[in-house]
């Protein structure tokens, strides 16, 4: 019968026949692991945005500085020291549990740098990224203190 009729009955939502023979639960576990890996990517990306730009949020919500300053310091230290953020191995672990290939290096090398620096990720680029984190936050907190440390 036609593919549309089968889709409307929900046949397409079932795991592939090979997986069904081995147990549907393994299929759904792999889907769960993949979803968790993707969630880690989203959290990682949002963390980077918060590390770089979160200082500006303190202009509105000054109490947020207690959360942002440790994040900002962590982000700069990761870049200057050449470390890999712990979220990267977590994502790779979850991808491996889902039956997918992980990747080497860190989140920035894998997702961000190919967009910004197609030639590759060098220690100099990593130093520049750390300096960008420090400079943007120096501007953010400089503006915060110039405003008298007052949130809106």
């Amino acid at each position: 019968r036609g593919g549309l009729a089968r889709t409307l009955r929900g046949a397409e939502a079932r795991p592939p026949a090979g997986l069904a023979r081995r147990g549907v639960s393994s299929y759904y576990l792999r889907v769960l692991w993949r979803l968790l890996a993707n969630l880690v990517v989203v959290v990682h990306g949002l963390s980077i945005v918060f590390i770089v730009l979160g200082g500006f949020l303190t202009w509105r919500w000054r109490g947020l500085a207690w959360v942002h300053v440790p994040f900002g310091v962590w982000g700069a230290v990761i870049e200057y020291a050449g470390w890999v953020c712990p979220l990267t191995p977590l994502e790779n672990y979850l991808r491996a549990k889902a039956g997918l290939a992980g990747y080497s290096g860190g989140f920035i090398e894998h997702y961000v740098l190919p967009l910004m620096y197609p030639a590759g990720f060098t220690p100099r680029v990593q130093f520049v990224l750390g300096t960008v984190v420090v400079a943007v936050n120096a501007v953010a907190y400089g503006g915060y203190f110039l405003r008298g440390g007052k949130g809106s």
Side-chain angles (χ1 to χ4, degrees), residues 1 6 19 24 30 36-37 39 56 60 72 77 79 81 83 93 97 107 122 124 128 130 132 138:
R1 296 184 97 195
R6 202 173 49 208
L19 290 176
V24 173
R30 283 191 272 182
L36 289 173
L39 178 63
F56 293 105
R60 174 98 169 121
V77 168
E79 294 303 329
W83 296 343
Y93 169 79
K97 294 289 279 183
F107 179 89
T122 65
R124 181 173 182 214
V128 168
V132 167

Side-chain angles (χ1 to χ4, degrees), residues 69-92:
V69 169
F71 262 82
V73 169
W74 173 255
V77 168
I78 288 283
E79 294 303 329
Y80 285 134
W83 296 343
V84 172
C85 177
L87 292 175
T88 300
L90 175 60
E91 180 195 345
N92 285 332

Side-chain angles (χ1 to χ4, degrees), residues 26-48:
S26 67
Y27 172 78
Y28 290 111
L29 276 175
R30 283 191 272 182
V31 170
L32 176 65
W33 291 121
R34 185 176 189 164
L35 288 173
L36 289 173
N38 292 338
L39 178 63
V40 170
V41 170
V42 170
V43 168
H44 206 167
L46 291 174
S47 296
I48 290 171

Side-chain angles (χ1 to χ4, degrees), residues 10 15 20 25 47 51 58 66 75 81-82 86 94 103 105 122 150-151:
S25 64
S47 296
I51 286 168
T58 63
W66 290 103
L94 294 170
Y103 57 86
T122 65
K150 297 176 187 169

